[in-house]
Amino acid sequence: MNLDHIDRRLLAELQRDSTRSQRELADLTGLSQNACWRRLQALKKSGIIDRYTAVVNRHRLGLNMTVFMMLKAGQYTALWHDHLCNIVSRTPEVVDFYRVGGSYDYCLKLVTQDMASFDATYRQITEHIELKDVVTHFVMETLEEQRPLPVKGK
């Protein structure tokens, strides 16, 4: 799907506040409500809009610790990879999970209440899968998080 400046503006506005009404979005983009609705439907159908979510303040939920775990695979088989993915998908404290290049193979972002809850999560992940190395990085201060995706034109 080719995005024009109006589609990009819709995406930027939705990332700022996805609860905006179609009337508000139409006013912000200079479209009629019907034209705005059609564009939103096209963005959904194309898969560019995947879903609508709420950004929750983790501190208000008592989730004050963020940790990045870097994992080095113990072996490189499809079965091992599937096992790791299964463990991680059952671990709600893991909010982001990446296979990466470089010195390590996987990067996990965990959000927990405190050191004790992190340690329990760490054990849950590491006790059930063979790993060559694990390095953890504890976040001291969050400077920016969950930033909107850049939707600027080319």
Side-chain angles (χ1 to χ4, degrees):
M1 179 174 177
N2 290 328
L3 301 179
D4 64 13
H5 71 284
I6 294 173
D7 294 321
R8 292 177 192 286
R9 177 78 190 270
L10 280 170
L11 292 170
E13 295 299 335
L14 284 171
Q15 287 185 92
R16 271 190 214 98
D17 182 359
S18 67
T19 65
R20 288 191 169 148
S21 69
Q22 285 183 24
R23 179 178 301 282
E24 288 176 280
L25 291 169
D27 289 344
L28 287 167
T29 56
L31 295 172
S32 70
Q33 253 187 285
N34 286 339
C36 182
W37 181 85
R38 283 191 300 275
R39 283 182 181 252
L40 290 172
Q41 294 308 305
L43 290 167
K44 288 179 197 174
K45 185 177 180 180
S46 71
I48 292 172
I49 295 177
D50 189 33
R51 66 185 184 277
Y52 295 100
T53 63
V55 177
V56 177
N57 184 317
R58 62 185 175 79
H59 297 288
R60 298 266 173 140
L61 294 175
L63 300 170
N64 296 311
M65 178 171 264
T66 302
V67 181
F68 289 91
M69 283 180 67
M70 304 301 295
L71 309 178
K72 191 173 285 189
Q75 51 184 290
Y76 296 95
T77 66
L79 184 63
W80 182 91
H81 173 82
D82 292 347
H83 183 56
L84 173 66
C85 290
N86 186 280
I87 289 169
V88 170
S89 70
R90 292 184 320 208
T91 307
E93 293 84 0
V94 177
V95 296
D96 290 311
F97 179 37
Y98 305 96
R99 188 168 64 88
V100 297
S103 300
Y104 286 84
D105 303 305
Y106 299 90
C107 177
L108 289 68
K109 179 181 177 185
L110 293 85
V111 177
T112 66
Q113 294 172 329
D114 51 27
M115 185 59 78
S117 61
F118 165 70
D119 187 50
T121 302
Y122 176 91
R123 290 172 189 265
Q124 178 183 337
I125 293 168
T126 60
E127 287 179 357
H128 299 289
I129 191 146
E130 179 189 344
L131 294 166
K132 188 173 184 179
D133 193 17
V134 179
V135 172
T136 54
H137 300 278
F138 298 92
V139 173
M140 296 172 56
E141 177 184 16
T142 301
L143 302 174
E144 293 195 53
E145 190 172 50
Q146 296 181 339
R147 295 177 62 187
L149 296 175
V151 291
K152 298 176 182 174
K154 292 180 181 178

